């Protein structure tokens, strides 16, 4: 079977509850566990409160909420949680030794066919998994908070992960409304490398007195962040011109340090004349008709975003 009907979530905190809510809402029976039964029960109680609050706000029909909650149970311990589970999601806090300890315990109690995943945002998957004999069916599955809303889930194969397992998990995630992206097992993966480069630079701007925290937030929200709601960084770069980006990065590198030095992937494209929409190719190919359509679509999407802000305000 390609999908999963029964899942165990190890960790009943914010991320574990969010993943449980999403899976249960899509028809998966979920067992929720933590360090002890009391924490698991407290986690389920908080999940119940969250779902009921969504009903009161009109975000979720009452009957759908009831079905979701009926699919989530708290388990007394790890062994009872994973018993019969086809998918195991370790979602305890980001403490490496704690994660390794859980995975060592998993080795002795999971079924022989269960797919095992760790919801780590940055750790080396091979280090987390360790010497688990089931490494062929173990991988990273990095969800973003809130897990029941944010579409992207990064899938990070370990050294010995079976590619068929990765494909199966990706297919399952798409079936429950997520957007899986397979990435290499590198520190921070992709999302957090980019996200934390931004937050590090934001704090530098604050420290240097370039702008207030409020103005820095407003600039990000209303400038490049406004566009990133619909487009990724490479799409935006292609629209604006890779040669423009090279020039800006070279100036910033000269003024602020080598952390801004343009990568060879960018320099090579500029040397080859692949500057984006204006030359027919950049990071992506842009036939003339597709380029015109992309710019028109971009403007309409941004206008729609502005209108939604006005309605919300």
């Amino acid at each position: 079977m390609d999908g999963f009907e029964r899942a165990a979530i190890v960790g009943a905190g914010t991320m574990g509850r969010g993943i449980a809510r999403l899976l249960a809402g899509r028809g998966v029976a979920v067992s929720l566990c933590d360090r002890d039964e009391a924490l698991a029960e407290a986690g389920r109680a908080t999940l119940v409160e969250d779902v009921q609050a969504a009903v009161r706000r009109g975000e979720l029909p009452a009957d759908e909420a009831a079905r979701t909650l009926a699919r989530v149970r708290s388990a007394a311990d790890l062994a009872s949680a994973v018993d019969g589970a086809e998918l195991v999601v370790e979602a305890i806090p980001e403490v490496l030794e704690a994660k390794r300890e859980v995975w060592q315990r998993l080795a002795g109690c999971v079924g022989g066919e269960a797919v095992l995943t760790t919801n780590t945002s940055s750790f080396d998957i091979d280090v987390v998994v360790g010497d688990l004999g089931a490494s062929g069916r173990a991988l990273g599955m990095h969800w973003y908070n809130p897990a029941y809303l944010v579409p992207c889930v990064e899938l990070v194969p370990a050294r010995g992960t079976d590619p068929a397992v990765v494909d199966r998990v990706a297919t399952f995630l798409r079936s429950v409304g997520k957007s899986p992206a397979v990435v290499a097992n590198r520190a921070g993966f992709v999302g957090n490398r980019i996200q934390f480069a931004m937050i590090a630079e934001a704090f530098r701007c604050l420290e240097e007195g370039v702008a207030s925290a409020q103005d820095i937030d407003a600039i990000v929200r209303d400038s490049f962040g406004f566009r990133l709601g619909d487009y990724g960084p490479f799409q935006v770069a292609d629209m604006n011109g890779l040669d423009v980006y090279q020039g800006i990065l070279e100036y910033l590198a000269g003024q602020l340090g080598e952390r801004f030095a343009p990568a060879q992937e960018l320099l090579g494209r500029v040397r080859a004349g692949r500057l984006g929409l204006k030359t027919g190719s950049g990071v992506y190919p842009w036939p003339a008709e597709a380029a015109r359509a992309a710019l028109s679509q971009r403007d309409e999407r941004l206008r729609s975003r502005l209108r939604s802000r006005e309605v919300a305000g």
Side-chain angles (χ1 to χ4, degrees):
M1 187 178 86
D2 289 335
F4 302 100
E5 294 184 354
R6 299 182 65 185
I9 310 295
V10 184
T14 299
M15 292 306 300
R17 292 194 306 271
I19 297 167
R21 177 174 171 179
L22 181 281
L23 295 183
R26 295 299 184 124
V28 179
V30 175
S31 297
L32 191 62
C33 74
D34 211 298
R35 289 196 306 272
D36 55 47
E37 187 173 6
L39 285 173
E41 290 176 350
R44 188 184 184 282
T46 301
L47 175 57
V48 170
E49 293 172 4
D50 292 343
V51 171
Q52 290 175 342
V55 172
R56 290 193 296 272
R57 293 191 298 266
E59 299 167 358
L60 193 64
D63 57 345
E64 183 179 334
R67 288 193 296 270
T68 295
L69 294 175
R71 297 186 187 109
V72 182
R73 71 174 183 91
S74 58
D77 52 35
L78 180 65
S80 61
V82 303
D83 183 29
E86 300 159 328
L87 174 68
V88 177
V89 182
E90 172 269 299
I92 71 170
E94 198 78 341
V95 179
L96 181 58
E97 287 309 313
K99 285 183 178 288
R100 283 177 53 80
E101 190 272 333
V102 167
W103 276 78
Q104 288 164 6
R105 291 169 57 203
L106 280 172
C109 58
V110 292
E113 299 300 321
V115 173
L116 312 176
T117 69
T118 174
N119 177 52
T120 177
S121 58
S122 59
F123 291 148
D124 185 323
I125 305 303
D126 292 309
V127 173
V128 173
V129 172
D131 298 326
L132 184 72
S135 59
R137 49 193 170 89
L139 68 156
M141 187 160 68
H142 177 211
W143 299 67
Y144 287 81
N145 187 39
Y148 53 89
L149 290 179
V150 180
C152 182
V153 179
E154 290 179 309
L155 296 182
V156 193
R159 187 181 300 114
T161 306
D162 184 344
V165 170
V166 180
D167 291 343
R168 181 185 178 191
V169 174
T171 298
F172 170 71
L173 287 171
R174 283 190 286 269
S175 76
V176 296
K178 293 300 177 182
S179 301
V182 180
V183 303
N185 185 20
R186 302 288 188 274
F189 315 130
V190 173
N192 277 343
R193 281 183 65 172
I194 295 173
Q195 178 179 207
F196 280 87
M198 180 195 71
I199 195 63
E201 205 59 41
F203 272 106
R204 289 189 187 102
C205 289
L206 183 64
E207 186 174 85
E208 295 169 12
V210 178
S212 69
Q214 293 82 359
D215 282 342
I216 292 169
D217 272 346
I219 290 164
V220 171
R221 183 178 62 245
D222 295 337
S223 64
F224 68 87
F226 187 73
R227 299 180 305 205
L228 289 175
D230 286 298
Y231 296 98
F234 293 136
Q235 292 170 305
V236 173
D238 269 358
M239 291 178 185
N240 292 337
L242 300 189
D243 52 333
V244 175
Y245 277 47
Q246 176 183 327
I248 292 171
L249 285 168
E250 288 174 342
Y251 176 76
L252 291 176
Q255 297 294 312
L256 299 173
E258 283 300 302
R259 67 183 182 275
F260 286 102
Q264 289 301 316
E265 281 283 348
L266 171 60
L267 296 174
R269 284 178 168 81
V270 173
R271 282 195 298 269
R274 296 172 56 190
L275 309 182
L277 268 73
K278 59 189 176 185
T279 60
S281 70
V283 178
Y284 299 103
W286 294 102
E289 186 173 336
R292 286 192 296 271
L295 290 176
S296 176
Q297 183 186 61
R298 177 203 62 188
D299 290 355
E300 181 50 40
R301 284 185 174 183
L302 296 183
R303 290 190 190 98
S304 176
R305 190 171 290 275
L306 279 172
R307 288 194 293 268
S308 67
R309 280 193 178 187
E310 291 168 358
V311 170

